[in-house]
């Protein structure tokens, strides 16, 4: 097989994979954490063995969906963090971006962060909870990288950036999960209170000399 044929086959496989992920998106947005491989295969107009051929198992499909949606969320968070506003406004915009994402797409959020209970017997071994930690870790490391590029946190700057990054992501996740289920206040009010909690050290930290600043 020559190079052009291999490239064509790879392109066709990637296109088919995107189509299957779009079908999975539609099912998850409808069924949330109870989305099954059978329902996704039916939505895509294929049999379940073909779906397994592309993703291996439900864990493989979960990881593909997680990357797809985490990539989009990180891009939104970075856009908020890099907006041409004052530091406090950037902090609030970032919190808003995260909460808006889970509020707009609650079924996908629940699929990614909470295991389904009503799933077929052949999917009982899958629990989204065992897969969600890498998503949060990736977000924490992305935020830590962003902080370390902009703030002077002293001689242990890199370690502190990691602590801050993972801590802020943990706070957003826990508070957002509670808020999405209980709706005790408006998103604006939650953002203000979380920003107040973060603001002391963030306000005091100096911009890194020569960096893009926060």
């Amino acid at each position: 097989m020559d190079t052009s044929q291999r490239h064509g086959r790879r392109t066709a496989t990637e296109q088919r994979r995107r189509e299957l992920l779009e079908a999975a998106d539609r099912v998850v947005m409808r069924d949330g954490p109870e989305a099954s491989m059978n329902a996704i295969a039916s939505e895509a107009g294929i049999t379940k063995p073909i779906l397994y051929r592309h993703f291996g198992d439900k864990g493989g499909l979960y990881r593909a969906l997680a990357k797809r949606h985490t990539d989009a969320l990180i891009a939104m968070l970075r856009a908020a963090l890099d907006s041409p506003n004052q530091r406090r406004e950037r902090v609030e915009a970032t919190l808003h971006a995260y909460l808006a994402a889970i509020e707009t797409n609650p079924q996908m959020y629940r699929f990614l962060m909470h295991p389904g209970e009503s799933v077929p017997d052949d999917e009982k071994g899958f629990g989204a909870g065992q897969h969600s930690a890498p998503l949060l870790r990736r977000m924490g490391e992305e935020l830590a990288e962003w902080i370390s590029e902009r703030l002077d946190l002293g001689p242990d700057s890199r370690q502190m950036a990691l602590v801050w990054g993972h801590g802020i992501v943990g706070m957003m996740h826990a508070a957002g999960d509670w808020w999405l289920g209980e709706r005790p206040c408006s998103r604006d009010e939650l953002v203000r209170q979380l920003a107040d909690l973060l603001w002391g050290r963030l306000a005091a930290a100096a911009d890194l000399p020569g960096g893009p600043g926060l």
Side-chain angles (χ1 to χ4, degrees):
M1 185 183 296
D2 62 25
T3 301
S4 61
Q5 288 176 314
R6 286 195 297 271
H7 176 73
R9 178 170 292 183
R10 184 168 58 250
T11 300
T13 300
E14 290 170 353
Q15 174 61 30
R16 185 56 170 154
R17 186 180 173 89
R18 281 193 297 270
E19 292 169 355
L20 295 177
L21 286 173
E22 287 165 6
D25 267 344
R26 293 192 295 272
V27 173
V28 171
M29 288 177 189
R30 183 188 71 218
D31 298 342
E34 275 67 51
S36 69
M37 296 291 274
N38 277 329
I40 293 168
S42 177
E43 176 71 23
I46 59 174
T47 62
K48 191 158 69 168
I50 294 175
L51 191 60
Y52 282 127
R53 190 183 308 157
H54 282 272
F55 298 101
D57 56 15
K58 193 171 185 180
L61 176 63
Y62 172 92
R63 288 187 291 274
L65 282 174
K67 184 178 187 307
R68 179 184 177 99
H69 288 275
T70 304
D71 285 351
L73 177 57
I74 287 173
M76 287 190 290
L77 296 179
R78 278 198 167 267
L81 286 165
D82 289 331
S83 60
N85 297 315
Q86 296 300 312
R87 186 180 293 186
R88 170 75 187 216
E89 293 171 327
R90 292 186 190 189
V91 171
E92 293 190 358
T94 304
L95 293 167
H96 263 298
Y98 177 81
L99 293 171
I102 67 173
E103 183 180 31
T104 302
N105 210 342
Q107 291 286 62
M108 180 60 70
Y109 170 79
R110 293 185 179 107
F111 176 82
L112 293 177
M113 292 299 173
H114 296 285
E117 296 179 355
S118 302
V119 295
D121 288 341
D122 62 346
E123 295 177 20
K124 289 295 185 184
F126 176 84
Q130 66 182 304
H131 298 285
S132 60
L135 275 68
L136 298 175
R137 181 179 293 275
R138 180 186 168 199
M139 289 174 60
E141 290 177 354
E142 289 274 351
L143 184 55
E145 187 67 26
W146 188 91
I147 290 170
S148 68
E149 291 171 354
R150 288 162 174 77
L151 296 181
D152 183 358
L153 303 179
D156 295 323
S157 186
R158 176 58 182 164
Q159 178 179 317
M160 191 173 292
L162 285 166
V163 171
W164 285 22
H166 289 292
I168 291 169
V169 167
M171 182 197 73
M172 289 196 305
H173 169 61
D177 196 78
W178 165 74
W179 174 77
L180 193 63
E182 301 293 331
R183 296 303 178 104
C185 60
S186 68
R187 190 189 338 146
D188 285 344
E189 180 64 16
L190 181 61
V191 164
R192 184 185 66 78
Q193 293 188 24
L194 292 178
D196 284 346
L197 180 62
L198 291 171
W199 187 237
R201 286 302 307 273
L202 281 174
D207 285 337
L208 189 68
L214 174 57

